[in-house]
Coordinates of all heavy atoms in Angstrom, one line a residue:
V534 N 6.1 29.8 -20.9 CA 5.6 30.3 -22.1 C 6.7 31.1 -22.9 O 6.7 31.1 -24.1 CB 4.4 31.2 -21.8 CG1 4.0 32.0 -23.1 CG2 3.2 30.4 -21.4
L537 N 8.6 28.5 -24.7 CA 7.9 27.8 -25.7 C 7.4 28.7 -26.8 O 7.1 28.3 -27.9 CB 6.7 27.0 -25.1 CG 7.0 25.8 -24.2 CD1 5.7 25.3 -23.6 CD2 7.7 24.8 -25.0
G538 N 7.4 30.0 -26.5 CA 6.8 31.0 -27.4 C 7.7 31.1 -28.7 O 7.1 31.3 -29.8
V539 N 9.0 30.9 -28.6 CA 9.8 30.9 -29.8 C 9.5 29.9 -30.8 O 9.2 30.2 -32.0 CB 11.3 30.8 -29.4 CG1 12.2 30.8 -30.6 CG2 11.7 32.0 -28.4
P540 N 9.4 28.6 -30.5 CA 9.0 27.6 -31.5 C 7.6 27.8 -31.9 O 7.2 27.5 -33.1 CB 9.3 26.3 -30.8 CG 9.3 26.6 -29.4 CD 9.8 27.9 -29.2
L541 N 6.7 28.2 -31.0 CA 5.3 28.3 -31.4 C 5.1 29.4 -32.5 O 4.3 29.2 -33.4 CB 4.4 28.7 -30.2 CG 4.1 27.5 -29.2 CD1 3.3 28.0 -28.0 CD2 3.3 26.4 -29.9
R542 N 5.8 30.5 -32.4 CA 5.7 31.6 -33.3 C 6.2 31.2 -34.7 O 5.9 31.9 -35.7 CB 6.4 32.9 -32.8 CG 5.7 33.5 -31.7 CD 6.2 34.9 -31.4 NE 7.6 34.8 -30.9 CZ 7.9 34.7 -29.6 NH1 7.0 34.7 -28.7 NH2 9.2 34.7 -29.2
A543 N 6.8 30.1 -34.8 CA 7.3 29.6 -36.1 C 6.2 29.1 -37.0 O 6.3 28.9 -38.2 CB 8.4 28.6 -36.0
F544 N 5.0 28.8 -36.3 CA 3.9 28.3 -37.0 C 2.8 29.4 -37.2 O 2.3 29.9 -36.2 CB 3.3 27.1 -36.3 CG 4.2 25.9 -36.1 CD1 5.1 25.8 -35.1 CD2 4.3 24.9 -37.1 CE1 6.0 24.8 -34.9 CE2 5.1 23.9 -37.0 CZ 6.0 23.8 -35.9
P545 N 2.5 29.7 -38.4 CA 1.6 30.8 -38.7 C 0.2 30.5 -38.1 O -0.2 29.3 -38.1 CB 1.6 30.9 -40.2 CG 2.0 29.6 -40.7 CD 2.9 29.1 -39.7
V546 N -0.5 31.5 -37.8 CA -1.9 31.5 -37.3 C -2.0 30.7 -36.0 O -2.1 31.2 -34.9 CB -2.9 31.0 -38.4 CG1 -4.3 31.2 -37.8 CG2 -2.7 31.8 -39.6
G547 N -2.1 29.3 -36.1 CA -2.3 28.4 -35.0 C -1.3 28.6 -33.9 O -1.6 28.8 -32.7
G548 N 0.0 28.6 -34.3 CA 1.0 28.7 -33.3 C 1.1 30.1 -32.7 O 1.3 30.2 -31.5
R549 N 0.9 31.1 -33.5 CA 1.0 32.5 -33.0 C -0.2 32.8 -32.1 O 0.0 33.4 -31.0 CB 1.0 33.5 -34.2 CG 2.3 33.4 -35.0 CD 2.3 34.4 -36.1 NE 3.6 34.4 -36.8 CZ 4.6 35.1 -36.5 NH1 4.6 35.9 -35.4 NH2 5.8 35.1 -37.2
L550 N -1.4 32.3 -32.5 CA -2.5 32.5 -31.6 C -2.3 31.8 -30.3 O -2.7 32.3 -29.2 CB -3.8 32.0 -32.3 CG -4.4 32.8 -33.4 CD1 -5.5 32.1 -34.1 CD2 -4.9 34.2 -32.8
A551 N -1.8 30.6 -30.3 CA -1.5 29.8 -29.1 C -0.5 30.5 -28.2 O -0.7 30.6 -27.0 CB -1.0 28.4 -29.4
D552 N 0.5 31.1 -28.8 CA 1.5 31.8 -28.0 C 0.9 33.1 -27.4 O 1.1 33.3 -26.2 CB 2.6 32.3 -29.0 CG 3.7 33.2 -28.2 OD1 4.1 32.8 -27.1 OD2 4.0 34.2 -28.8
A553 N 0.0 33.8 -28.1 CA -0.6 35.0 -27.5 C -1.6 34.6 -26.4 O -1.6 35.2 -25.4 CB -1.4 35.7 -28.6
N554 N -2.4 33.5 -26.6 CA -3.3 33.1 -25.5 C -2.6 32.6 -24.3 O -3.0 33.0 -23.2 CB -4.2 32.0 -26.1 CG -5.4 32.5 -26.9 OD1 -5.9 33.6 -26.5 ND2 -5.7 31.8 -27.9
L555 N -1.5 31.9 -24.5 CA -0.8 31.4 -23.3 C -0.1 32.5 -22.6 O 0.0 32.5 -21.4 CB 0.3 30.3 -23.8 CG -0.2 29.0 -24.3 CD1 0.9 28.2 -24.9 CD2 -0.9 28.2 -23.2
G556 N 0.4 33.5 -23.3 CA 1.1 34.6 -22.7 C 0.1 35.5 -21.8 O 0.5 36.0 -20.8
T557 N -1.1 35.7 -22.3 CA -2.1 36.5 -21.6 C -2.9 35.7 -20.6 O -3.5 36.3 -19.7 CB -3.0 37.2 -22.6 OG1 -3.7 36.2 -23.3 CG2 -2.3 38.2 -23.5
G558 N -2.8 34.4 -20.6 CA -3.6 33.6 -19.7 C -2.7 32.8 -18.8 O -3.0 31.6 -18.6
R561 N -4.6 31.1 -15.9 CA -5.4 29.9 -16.3 C -4.5 28.8 -16.7 O -4.8 27.6 -16.4 CB -6.2 30.3 -17.6 CG -7.1 29.2 -18.1 CD -7.9 29.6 -19.3 NE -7.0 30.0 -20.4 CZ -7.2 30.8 -21.4 NH1 -8.4 31.4 -21.5 NH2 -6.4 31.0 -22.4
R790 N -14.1 29.3 -22.6 CA -13.5 30.1 -23.7 C -14.5 30.2 -24.9 O -14.0 30.5 -26.0 CB -12.2 29.6 -24.1 CG -11.1 29.6 -23.0 CD -9.9 28.9 -23.4 NE -9.2 29.6 -24.5 CZ -8.1 29.1 -25.1 NH1 -7.6 28.0 -24.7 NH2 -7.6 29.8 -26.1
E793 N -14.5 33.6 -26.4 CA -13.2 33.9 -27.1 C -13.2 33.2 -28.4 O -12.8 33.8 -29.5 CB -12.1 33.5 -26.2 CG -10.7 33.5 -26.8 CD -9.7 32.7 -26.0 OE1 -9.8 32.7 -24.8 OE2 -8.8 32.2 -26.6
L797 N -13.1 34.9 -32.3 CA -12.1 34.5 -33.4 C -12.8 34.1 -34.7 O -12.3 34.4 -35.8 CB -11.2 33.3 -32.8 CG -10.2 33.7 -31.8 CD1 -9.5 32.4 -31.2 CD2 -9.1 34.6 -32.4
T802 N -11.3 33.7 -38.4 CA -10.5 32.5 -38.1 C -11.3 31.3 -38.4 O -12.5 31.2 -38.0 CB -10.1 32.5 -36.6 OG1 -9.5 33.8 -36.3 CG2 -9.0 31.4 -36.4
Q806 N -8.1 26.5 -38.1 CA -7.1 27.3 -37.4 C -7.3 27.3 -35.9 O -6.3 27.2 -35.1 CB -7.1 28.7 -38.0 CG -6.6 28.8 -39.4 CD -6.9 30.1 -40.0 OE1 -7.8 30.8 -39.7 NE2 -6.0 30.5 -41.0
I807 N -8.6 27.4 -35.5 CA -8.8 27.4 -34.0 C -8.4 26.0 -33.4 O -7.9 25.9 -32.3 CB -10.3 27.6 -33.7 CG1 -10.6 29.1 -34.1 CG2 -10.7 27.4 -32.3 CD1 -12.1 29.5 -34.0
A808 N -8.8 24.9 -34.2 CA -8.4 23.6 -33.7 C -6.9 23.5 -33.6 O -6.4 22.9 -32.6 CB -8.9 22.5 -34.6
R809 N -6.1 24.0 -34.5 CA -4.7 23.9 -34.4 C -4.2 24.8 -33.3 O -3.2 24.4 -32.6 CB -4.1 24.4 -35.8 CG -4.2 23.3 -36.9 CD -3.3 23.7 -38.1 NE -3.8 24.9 -38.8 CZ -4.7 24.9 -39.7 NH1 -5.3 23.7 -40.1 NH2 -5.1 26.0 -40.3
M810 N -4.8 25.9 -33.1 CA -4.4 26.8 -31.9 C -4.6 26.0 -30.6 O -3.7 26.0 -29.8 CB -5.3 28.0 -31.9 CG -5.0 28.9 -30.7 SD -6.3 30.2 -30.5 CE -7.6 29.2 -29.8
L811 N -5.8 25.4 -30.5 CA -6.0 24.6 -29.2 C -5.1 23.4 -29.1 O -4.6 23.0 -28.0 CB -7.5 24.1 -29.2 CG -8.5 25.2 -29.1 CD1 -9.9 24.6 -29.2 CD2 -8.4 25.9 -27.7
G812 N -4.7 22.8 -30.3 CA -3.8 21.7 -30.3 C -2.4 22.1 -29.8 O -1.8 21.4 -29.0
W813 N -1.9 23.3 -30.3 CA -0.6 23.8 -29.8 C -0.7 24.1 -28.3 O 0.3 23.9 -27.6 CB -0.2 25.0 -30.6 CG 0.2 24.7 -32.0 CD1 -0.3 25.1 -33.2 CD2 1.4 23.9 -32.4 NE1 0.4 24.6 -34.3 CE2 1.4 23.9 -33.8 CE3 2.3 23.2 -31.7 CZ2 2.4 23.2 -34.5 CZ3 3.3 22.5 -32.3 CH2 3.3 22.5 -33.7
E814 N -1.8 24.7 -27.9 CA -1.9 25.1 -26.5 C -1.9 23.8 -25.6 O -1.2 23.7 -24.6 CB -3.2 25.8 -26.2 CG -3.2 27.2 -26.8 CD -4.5 28.0 -26.4 OE1 -5.3 27.5 -25.6 OE2 -4.8 29.0 -27.1
A817 N 1.6 22.4 -25.4 CA 2.4 23.2 -24.5 C 2.1 22.9 -23.0 O 3.0 22.7 -22.2 CB 2.1 24.7 -24.7

Side-chain angles (χ1 to χ4, degrees):
V534 169
L537 292 175
V539 176
L541 282 176
R542 287 191 293 271
F544 297 90
V546 186
R549 290 179 178 274
L550 284 173
D552 175 49
N554 277 323
L555 291 171
T557 57
R561 181 180 63 203
R790 299 173 63 187
E793 172 193 327
L797 286 172
T802 310
Q806 290 171 331
I807 293 176
R809 286 192 291 275
M810 176 194 75
L811 293 174
W813 286 117
E814 289 181 16

